[in-house]
């Protein structure tokens, strides 16, 4: 009802500009109306608002950095006992690490595949990203190249802490020019 009422006023104003053959006035009024519209909303990547926001942020960053990103996110809005902040820690660190690894490669070789899906009572994150093949792993711990391979990466340590909190696990493997990550959290625990 309100929208119809307001639209009538808008059309009356446009009609007035048209009657006086004021094309510049019509264009200006239309530009003003278009500027007042809510921003275009894109189809969500998944139902979970927090994960959607993080994935969109890193999708845009990957694009700016010349990395091809493939996303497959099937995560509901309700993730049980898993806090949205913890979802963001896992997804954000996986994506940030992948983008940083891709930046060490020439454009055209930068690829990131990120997925998240619920299976039974578990939320499973999967990541595959290209990298330069240089890493140091000892007893399942990957050491960060940012600090000369002298300590485990902060992002990986954060991911491990979150999955442990929810009775899950994380695995990281490097083979050739692909780095694979998996993080699993229990939704109700």
């Amino acid at each position: 009802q309100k929208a119809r009422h307001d639209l009538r006023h808008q059309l009356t104003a446009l009609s007035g500009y048209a009657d006086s053959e004021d094309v510049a006035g019509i264009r200006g009024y239309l530009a003003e109306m278009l500027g007042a519209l809510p921003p275009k909303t894109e189809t969500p990547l998944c139902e979970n608002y927090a994960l959607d926001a993080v994935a969109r942020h890193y999708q845009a960053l990957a694009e700016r950095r010349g990395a091809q990103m493939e996303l497959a996110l099937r995560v509901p809005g309700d993730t049980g006992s898993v806090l949205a902040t913890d979802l963001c820690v896992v997804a954000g660190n996986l994506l940030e690490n992948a983008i940083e690894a891709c930046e060490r490669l020439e454009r055209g070789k930068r690829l990131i595949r990120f997925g998240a899906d619920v299976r039974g009572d578990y939320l499973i994150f999967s990541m595959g990203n290209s990298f330069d093949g240089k890493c140091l792993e000892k007893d399942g711990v990957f050491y960060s190249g940012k600090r000369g391979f002298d300590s485990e990466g902060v992002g990986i340590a954060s991911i491990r802490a979150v999955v442990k909190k929810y009775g899950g696990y994380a695995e990281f493997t490097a083979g050739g020019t692909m780095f694979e990550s998996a993080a699993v959290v229990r939704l109700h625990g």
Side-chain angles (χ1 to χ4, degrees):
Q1 183 82 335
K2 179 186 178 309
R4 184 181 184 88
H5 176 79
D6 291 347
L7 180 59
R8 186 170 47 85
H9 294 301
Q10 306 295 346
L11 292 174
T12 300
L14 282 170
S15 186
Y17 283 115
D19 288 345
S20 61
E21 298 181 15
D22 184 355
V23 176
I26 292 172
R27 285 190 177 124
Y29 196 83
L30 287 172
E32 188 177 312
M33 286 178 64
L34 289 171
L37 290 175
K40 178 183 169 192
T41 56
E42 296 176 352
T43 304
L45 297 172
C46 68
E47 293 176 23
N48 187 279
Y49 180 78
L51 184 56
D52 184 81
V54 168
R56 281 186 189 286
H57 168 76
Y58 284 104
Q59 183 182 38
L61 183 60
E63 186 177 303
R64 286 193 306 272
R65 305 271 172 92
Q68 176 188 344
M69 183 180 282
E70 299 171 7
L71 296 166
L73 306 176
R74 290 176 291 281
V75 180
D78 179 9
T79 54
S81 60
V82 180
L83 299 174
T85 53
D86 288 333
L87 288 177
C88 293
V89 166
V90 173
N93 279 298
L94 286 171
L95 289 164
E96 184 176 67
N97 286 349
I99 290 170
E100 287 176 1
C102 283
E103 287 182 306
R104 296 183 198 113
L105 301 171
E106 64 186 67
R107 288 183 182 261
K109 294 185 178 183
R110 300 173 182 180
L111 173 64
I112 299 168
R113 291 187 181 114
F114 179 62
D117 197 5
V118 173
R119 294 190 195 134
D121 197 35
Y122 293 91
L123 173 56
I124 302 166
F125 292 93
S126 60
M127 171 73 76
N129 63 272
S130 51
F131 83 118
D132 63 9
K134 298 175 187 171
C135 67
L136 176 62
E137 181 263 336
K138 184 176 177 185
D139 300 323
V141 175
F142 282 88
Y143 292 83
S144 174
K146 287 188 242 178
R147 288 171 288 286
F149 298 108
D150 64 350
S151 64
E152 181 176 37
V154 175
I156 289 178
S158 293
I159 293 166
R160 288 187 196 277
V162 169
V163 299
K164 183 178 178 184
K165 175 180 174 180
Y166 294 102
Y169 65 92
E171 289 182 354
F172 305 94
T173 56
T177 59
M178 287 300 288
F179 192 89
E180 304 285 337
S181 307
V184 179
V185 295
R186 189 172 186 163
L187 297 175
H188 303 92

